[in-house]
């Protein structure tokens, strides 16, 4: 049995009711999408075949759900067992984030009734990077639920199933490290195909590496972010010393990311685009600033205080989110005559999916042993 337990408490809090309202609004527009077609609720077009449902719900959503991946690397590969209490809440966030990213894909696909074709060998394109992403994410969702299953069976007090799971869980932990390594890098590979349609500030032959490293430090940042919020929301004892020790890996990863990225842009001769004063250049500079702020906050906070650590995590998450939005939407130009701005129903559906994740997280931690009972 783990050292985690349900935190209890009532579900019907004001915040819970607010997110429930957003979820209902999102469900209404999801219904409109399936009843009347995707054009009824979306501004996507042939020029912009994906909008915020893919860019945010999938590309960003899965990166924000990489806490389980990042902690698995730290605890099970690099043998940092002192962080084991952070694994299960990170795993829960990954389970919910990836599962809802799958929902986002189902909503986004025009012929959703044929989505099963991706699993039928006779219909697949073995040379497609999108196929690899689809199969890896689908497989990873299943692996995540198996990894999280011990928490469910602890709640059910089923010792027999727990014993079986404990014997085979190492196999799924290994898969849980391999699969996101593959598809997070492949999310970058997808935009290599955009070629000249993507601004040179974001197009790069090393996009797969950049997306993978970015997903890693976003994973550690989201663990800090969620632990900090759960401390306040559920009135738990702060885990600041533990989080601060874990955070020492973040500046190293960010430094690798920034050095590789800036060197690549400089070698290709496109750094001047960042200083033109236009929207793309300014967002590129903002993106860099949001990545640099956490490095200084973590490096300068010798007293391991909670607020600088939280602000560093928040800045890093915003920087990672902006990097992906810039790559998939802002920096992408399909040519004259094509424009995209998300429709109100698109935004409402995204907010509904986001609200569902928050609601599910609250239910799980209150009813299932997820959060650790000690520091």
């Amino acid at each position: 049995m783990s050292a985690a337990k349900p935190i209890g408490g009532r579900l019907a809090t004001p915040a819970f009711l607010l997110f429930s309202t957003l979820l209902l609004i999102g469900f209404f527009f999801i219904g409109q999408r399936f009843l009347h077609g995707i054009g009824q609720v979306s501004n996507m077009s042939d020029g912009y075949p994906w909008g915020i449902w893919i860019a945010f719900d999938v590309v960003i959503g899965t990166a924000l759900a990489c806490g389980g991946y990042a902690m698995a690397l730290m605890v099970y590969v690099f043998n940092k067992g002192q962080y084991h209490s952070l694994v299960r809440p990170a795993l829960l966030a990954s389970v919910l984030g990836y599962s809802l990213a799958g929902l986002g894909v189902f909503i986004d696909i025009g012929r959703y009734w044929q989505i099963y074709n991706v699993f039928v060998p006779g219909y697949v394109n073995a040379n497609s990077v999108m196929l690899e992403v689809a199969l890896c994410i689908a497989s990873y969702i299943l692996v995540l639920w198996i990894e999280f299953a011990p928490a469910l069976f602890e709640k059910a007090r089923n010792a027999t199933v727990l014993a079986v799971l404990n014997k085979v869980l190492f196999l799924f932990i290994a898969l849980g490290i391999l699969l996101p390594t593959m598809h997070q890098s492949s999310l970058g590979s997808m935009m290599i195909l955009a070629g000249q349609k993507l601004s040179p500030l974001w197009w790069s032959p090393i996009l797969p590496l950049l997306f993978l490293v970015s997903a890693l430090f976003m994973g550690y940042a989201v663990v800090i972010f969620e632990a900090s919020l759960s401390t306040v929301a559920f009135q738990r004892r702060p885990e600041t010393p533990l989080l601060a020790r874990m955070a020492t890996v973040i500046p190293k990863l960010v430094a690798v990311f920034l050095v590789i990225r800036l060197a690549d842009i400089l070698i290709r001769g496109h750094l001047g685009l960042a200083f033109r004063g236009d929207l793309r250049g300014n967002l590129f500079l903002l993106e860099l600033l949001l990545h640099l702020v956490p490095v200084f906050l973590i490096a300068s906070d010798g007293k391991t205080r909670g607020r600088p650590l939280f602000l560093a995590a928040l800045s890093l998450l915003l920087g990672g989110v902006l990097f992906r939005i810039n790559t998939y939407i802002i920096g992408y130009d399909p040519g004259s005559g094509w424009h995209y701005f998300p429709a109100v129903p698109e935004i409402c559906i995204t907010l509904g999916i986001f609200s569902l994740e928050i609601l599910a997280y609250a239910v799980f931690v209150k009813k299932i042993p997820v959060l650790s009972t000690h520091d």
Side-chain angles (χ1 to χ4, degrees), residues 276-294:
R276 286 187 173 182
D278 58 1
L279 175 64
R280 290 176 180 171
N282 292 338
L283 287 178
F284 174 82
L285 294 175
L286 176 60
E287 184 188 308
L288 292 183
L289 178 63
L290 289 171
H291 281 91
L292 284 171
V293 166

Side-chain angles (χ1 to χ4, degrees), residues 189-262:
S189 301
M190 286 174 60
M191 292 310 292
I192 291 180
L193 302 178
Q196 295 181 350
K197 294 181 180 180
L198 183 59
S199 167
L201 289 174
W202 291 280
W203 186 93
S204 168
I206 59 169
L207 265 180
L209 176 61
L210 293 175
F211 265 66
L212 179 60
V213 177
S214 175
L216 266 177
F217 61 65
M218 286 180 72
Y220 292 118
V222 82
V223 169
I224 296 171
F225 183 78
E226 290 172 353
S228 302
L229 288 185
S230 68
T231 296
V232 176
F234 305 127
Q235 299 179 350
R236 302 175 64 240
R237 180 181 298 179
E239 298 175 295
T240 305
L242 185 66
L243 296 172
R245 290 197 300 272
M246 184 199 71
T248 56
V249 73
I250 290 177
K252 302 170 187 176
L253 290 170
V254 174
V256 169
F257 174 82
L258 291 178
V259 168
I260 293 175
R261 187 166 182 217
L262 291 175

Side-chain angles (χ1 to χ4, degrees), residues 244 296-305 308:
F296 290 107
L297 282 174
I298 294 173
S300 63
D301 184 29
K303 297 180 180 179
T304 64
R305 294 169 297 173

Side-chain angles (χ1 to χ4, degrees), residues 3-339:
K5 70 175 185 180
I7 64 172
R10 66 189 185 97
L11 289 175
T13 62
F16 193 90
L17 296 176
L18 170 63
F19 288 115
S20 297
T21 302
L22 293 175
L23 175 60
L24 290 175
I25 294 172
F27 275 163
F28 170 78
F29 287 113
I30 289 174
Q32 295 295 304
R33 178 264 178 273
F34 287 118
L35 286 173
H36 304 294
I38 199 169
Q40 183 73 18
V41 297
S42 169
N43 283 340
M44 290 185 291
S45 62
D46 290 342
Y48 287 91
W50 52 51
I52 60 170
W53 290 343
I54 291 297
F56 193 91
D57 299 349
V58 178
V59 180
I60 293 172
T62 57
L64 293 176
C66 275
Y69 169 52
M71 293 310 302
L73 279 172
M74 180 168 285
V75 173
Y76 301 115
V77 175
F78 296 105
N79 201 28
K80 302 294 184 179
Q82 64 266 37
Y83 303 115
H84 196 274
S85 62
L86 300 175
V87 170
R88 188 168 285 186
L91 189 58
L92 172 60
S94 295
V95 166
L96 298 176
Y98 269 91
S99 297
L100 294 176
L103 174 62
V105 170
F106 186 72
I107 295 170
D108 180 83
I109 291 177
R111 297 180 179 179
Y112 58 88
W113 58 88
Q114 291 184 323
I115 194 172
Y116 68 90
N117 283 344
V118 75
F119 305 106
V120 179
Y123 288 99
V124 302
N125 178 3
N127 297 316
S128 171
V129 67
M130 294 182 70
L131 172 67
E132 191 268 343
V133 171
L135 292 178
C136 276
I137 289 181
S139 301
Y140 189 47
I141 292 171
L142 176 60
V143 167
L144 283 170
W145 278 106
I146 294 173
E147 287 187 84
F148 188 70
L152 303 175
F153 287 106
E154 282 180 22
K155 174 66 176 178
R157 299 185 181 277
N158 193 324
T160 303
V161 177
L162 274 173
V164 174
L165 278 173
N166 287 333
K167 291 180 180 179
V168 300
L169 204 56
F170 72 96
L171 295 173
F172 295 99
I173 291 173
L175 283 173
I177 294 173
L178 173 65
L179 292 171
T181 300
M182 295 170 62
H183 67 250
Q184 285 297 332
S185 60
S186 294
L187 288 174
S189 301
M190 286 174 60
M191 292 310 292
I192 291 180
L193 302 178
Q196 295 181 350
K197 294 181 180 180
L198 183 59
S199 167
L201 289 174
W202 291 280
W203 186 93
S204 168
I206 59 169
L207 265 180
L209 176 61
L210 293 175
F211 265 66
L212 179 60
V213 177
S214 175
L216 266 177
F217 61 65
M218 286 180 72
Y220 292 118
V222 82
V223 169
I224 296 171
F225 183 78
E226 290 172 353
S228 302
L229 288 185
S230 68
T231 296
V232 176
F234 305 127
Q235 299 179 350
R236 302 175 64 240
R237 180 181 298 179
E239 298 175 295
T240 305
L242 185 66
L243 296 172
R245 290 197 300 272
M246 184 199 71
T248 56
V249 73
I250 290 177
K252 302 170 187 176
L253 290 170
V254 174
V256 169
F257 174 82
L258 291 178
V259 168
I260 293 175
R261 187 166 182 217
L262 291 175
D264 171 69
I265 296 174
L266 187 62
I267 291 171
R268 290 187 289 111
H270 296 297
L271 191 59
L273 295 176
F275 303 99
R276 286 187 173 182
D278 58 1
L279 175 64
R280 290 176 180 171
N282 292 338
L283 287 178
F284 174 82
L285 294 175
L286 176 60
E287 184 188 308
L288 292 183
L289 178 63
L290 289 171
H291 281 91
L292 284 171
V293 166
V295 175
F296 290 107
L297 282 174
I298 294 173
S300 63
D301 184 29
K303 297 180 180 179
T304 64
R305 294 169 297 173
R307 181 172 295 180
L309 200 58
F310 174 78
L311 292 176
L314 177 61
S315 179
L316 199 56
L317 292 176
L318 291 175
V321 166
L322 186 58
F323 170 57
R324 283 161 169 74
I325 289 179
N326 286 338
T327 304
Y328 269 76
I329 295 181
I330 304 298
Y332 179 74
D333 182 7
S336 60
W338 298 109
H339 305 281

